């Protein structure tokens, strides 16, 4: 990383530098940082026409975010770039000078776009020249954070960092003074970006592992052991029937791919209907749909039923495709329950889990165990069925003992029998 020499900073750049420090401390969002930085630099006399800033992330779906600013339009691009296998990169990125910088550990590049002896090593430079741009300057800055992505790590810039490019339409391109000033200011932008990204990285990673609401609570300070809140919730407990037997037959990679495919049927359905996945339990999961104080439980429980139906339909479609491809298929068993639970931190002094605990959670797990014996893919408790109300297609399946409860409990299921699919 190139450290700027602030002692030699001209008076026109000092306000930009001080603004960057304040923006980093104030946790200004990355898109606003890019837009305001470009405006400040332009006002300071550096002739910018088009700027691109790319920031790597720690997100399960997004590898990086790109922000594009133009002089006559402000911020015109805020793009999420998905994770890709290196063999599946878009051709435009493969031919990009920015990719060349990252892949070859090049911290800085400059390309004049006009002149009698100009030569373009990358196709995009010819495109820029056709658009009237005269000069291109770029820097890459690593934040000092690295992470293991197996084959995806090819260089020291493969961790979290920022890469930025600047173009101008000024005749003759950037002056040497302009480039010197950018060399001083861009590292300060990278530092402000790093500060801004810390909050977002924390939120993305925490939400990926805890769920959105739990992540917000943890990042808001609910981090001490024993901090928990008593809430009324609808609980969804799901498990893949036959997965244990399948695990004995499949190698780890296809087994993991199979598990993820079935979770993709369930997780999005839960989130679309207002719930959150709190915990993956091997081949099962625990999800909650919280009721606010005084809230009517009926609409919430009906949303949970809709999520369960949507998940089962997705599993049916997945199983049909897998059977056609000669792959093993699994049944998804779901139990729905409603009750009072504790929502918060449990664990050791240094290793905590933010989850649901209480008898209602245990009862939901034991309800799910009835799916196999009753040959049903959905089993619902009496408290949930009552809250959901009439007209939901639920019928009594009789009274059945649940471990830990003194009396048999009435359970409910769909009035239409959907035979679960066993592994094949």
């Amino acid at each position: 990383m190139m450290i700027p020499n602030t002692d030699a900073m001209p008076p026109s750049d000092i306000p930009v530098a001080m603004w960057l420090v304040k923006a980093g401390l104030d946790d200004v969002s990355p898109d606003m940082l890019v837009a305001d930085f470009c405006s400040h630099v332009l006002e300071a006399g550096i002739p910018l026409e088009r700027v691109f800033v790319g920031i790597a992330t720690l997100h399960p779906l997004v590898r990086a975010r790109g922000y594009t600013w133009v002089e006559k339009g402000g911020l015109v691009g805020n793009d999420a770039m998905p994770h890709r296998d290196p063999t599946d990169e878009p051709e435009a990125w493969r031919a990009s000078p920015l990719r060349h910088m990252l892949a070859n550990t090049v911290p800085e590049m400059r390309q004049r776009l006009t002149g009698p002896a100009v030569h373009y090593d990358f196709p995009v430079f010819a495109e820029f020249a056709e658009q009237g741009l005269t000069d291109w300057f770029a820097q890459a800055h690593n934040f000092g954070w690295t992470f293991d992505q197996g084959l995806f790590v090819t260089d020291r810039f493969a961790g979290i960092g920022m890469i930025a490019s600047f173009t101008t339409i000024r005749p003759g391109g950037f002056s040497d003074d302009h480039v010197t000033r950018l060399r001083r200011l861009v590292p300060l932008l990278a530092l402000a970006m790093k500060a801004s990204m810390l909050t977002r990285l924390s939120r993305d990673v925490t939400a990926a592992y805890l769920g959105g609401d739990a992540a917000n609570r943890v990042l808001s300070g609910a981090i001490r052991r024993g901090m928990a809140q008593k809430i009324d919730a609808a609980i969804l407990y799901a498990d893949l029937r036959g997965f244990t037997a399948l695990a004995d037959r499949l190698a780890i990679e296809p087994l993991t791919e199979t598990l993820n495919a079935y979770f993709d049927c369930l997780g999005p359905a839960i989130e679309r209907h207002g719930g959150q996945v709190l915990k993956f339990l091997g081949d099962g999961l625990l999800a909650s749909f919280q009721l606010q104080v005084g809230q009517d439980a009926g609409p919430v429980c009906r949303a949970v039923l809709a999520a369960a139906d949507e998940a089962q339909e997705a599993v049916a479609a997945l199983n049909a495709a897998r059977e056609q491809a000669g792959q093993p298929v699994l049944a998804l068993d779901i139990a729905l329950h409603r009750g009072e639970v504790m929502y918060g931190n449990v664990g050791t002094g240094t290793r905590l889990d933010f989850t649901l605990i209480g008898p209602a959670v245990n009862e939901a797990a034991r309800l799910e165990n009835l799916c196999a014996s009753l040959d049903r893919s959905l089993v619902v408790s009496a408290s949930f069925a009552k809250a959901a109300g009439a007209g939901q297609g639920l019928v009594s399946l009789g009274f059945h003992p649940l471990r830990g409860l003194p009396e048999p409990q009435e359970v409910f299921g769909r009035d239409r029998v959907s035979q679960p699919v066993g592994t094949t």
Side-chain angles (χ1 to χ4, degrees), residues 93-162:
W93 174 243
R94 285 180 173 274
S96 166
L98 298 181
R99 183 188 184 280
H100 170 79
M101 291 176 67
L102 297 178
N104 295 280
T105 321
V106 179
E108 180 178 300
M109 276 185 66
R110 184 182 183 186
Q111 172 69 56
R112 293 189 181 275
L113 302 174
T114 59
V118 68
H119 173 73
Y120 304 128
D121 290 325
F122 299 93
V124 71
F125 289 147
E127 296 175 16
F128 286 162
E130 290 175 3
Q131 297 167 17
L133 301 173
T134 58
D135 206 350
W136 181 91
F137 174 77
Q139 281 193 339
H141 294 275
N142 193 289
F143 292 167
W145 307 328
T146 58
F147 57 95
D148 184 7
Q149 289 273 5
L151 295 176
F152 291 91
V153 171
T154 58
D155 53 78
R156 72 182 184 92
F157 288 132
I160 306 298
M162 182 192 90

Side-chain angles (χ1 to χ4, degrees), residues 303-319:
V304 181
L305 274 171
D309 287 343
E310 187 176 312
Q312 294 288 12
E313 290 170 3
V315 167
L318 174 65
N319 281 340

Side-chain angles (χ1 to χ4, degrees), residues 31-336:
D31 53 344
M32 291 303 299
L33 262 175
V34 173
D36 290 349
F37 172 79
C38 294
S39 297
H40 280 80
V41 169
L42 195 64
E43 291 173 6
I46 300 177
L48 301 179
E49 178 64 22
R50 180 185 182 277
V51 174
F52 172 81
V53 177
I55 305 290
T57 71
L58 273 179
H59 190 281
L61 298 177
V62 179
R63 174 66 181 90
R65 292 194 176 275
Y67 306 93
T68 302
W69 176 95
V70 295
E71 193 273 333
K72 289 185 172 60
L75 196 70
V76 296
N78 181 347
D79 302 315
M81 305 169 191
H83 290 280
R84 292 180 184 272
D85 187 288
T87 62
D88 190 36
E89 292 176 343
E91 183 56 36
W93 174 243
R94 285 180 173 274
S96 166
L98 298 181
R99 183 188 184 280
H100 170 79
M101 291 176 67
L102 297 178
N104 295 280
T105 321
V106 179
E108 180 178 300
M109 276 185 66
R110 184 182 183 186
Q111 172 69 56
R112 293 189 181 275
L113 302 174
T114 59
V118 68
H119 173 73
Y120 304 128
D121 290 325
F122 299 93
V124 71
F125 289 147
E127 296 175 16
F128 286 162
E130 290 175 3
Q131 297 167 17
L133 301 173
T134 58
D135 206 350
W136 181 91
F137 174 77
Q139 281 193 339
H141 294 275
N142 193 289
F143 292 167
W145 307 328
T146 58
F147 57 95
D148 184 7
Q149 289 273 5
L151 295 176
F152 291 91
V153 171
T154 58
D155 53 78
R156 72 182 184 92
F157 288 132
I160 306 298
M162 182 192 90
I163 191 164
S165 65
F166 305 85
T167 57
T168 185
I169 58 172
R170 177 180 180 268
F174 292 119
S175 69
D176 291 342
D177 180 63
H178 294 149
V179 172
T180 299
R181 292 168 65 191
L182 284 173
R183 285 184 178 132
R184 295 192 186 107
L185 292 172
V186 175
L188 297 178
L189 172 64
L191 185 60
M193 277 288 192
K194 179 177 181 178
S196 178
M197 288 298 293
L198 270 173
T199 301
R200 286 145 191 87
L201 288 174
S202 299
R203 185 178 296 117
D204 287 345
V205 172
T206 309
Y209 284 89
L210 296 181
D213 181 71
N216 288 335
R217 290 172 184 253
V218 168
L219 293 174
S220 296
I223 58 175
R224 297 199 312 272
R225 182 170 63 168
M227 287 186 71
Q229 175 187 6
K230 187 177 290 186
I231 65 170
D232 188 6
I235 303 165
L236 185 152
Y237 197 103
D239 188 72
L240 289 171
R241 194 189 307 181
F243 183 81
T244 301
L246 183 64
D248 292 335
R249 298 171 11 219
L250 285 186
I252 187 64
E253 288 187 3
L255 184 68
T256 303
E257 291 172 358
T258 297
L259 187 59
N260 289 339
Y262 281 94
F263 281 152
D264 278 341
C265 295
L266 186 54
I270 291 169
E271 293 171 359
R272 272 193 291 272
H273 291 279
Q276 69 166 332
V277 176
L278 282 172
K279 186 184 292 295
F280 291 96
L281 306 160
D283 58 335
L285 63 78
L286 170 67
S288 70
F289 295 72
Q290 183 176 345
L291 281 77
Q292 302 304 318
V293 176
Q295 182 179 6
D296 181 4
V300 175
C301 290
R302 289 191 286 274
V304 181
L305 274 171
D309 287 343
E310 187 176 312
Q312 294 288 12
E313 290 170 3
V315 167
L318 174 65
N319 281 340
R322 290 178 65 87
E323 282 186 323
Q324 187 173 5
Q327 297 174 318
V329 297
L330 298 169
L332 176 65
D333 290 339
I334 297 177
L336 306 179

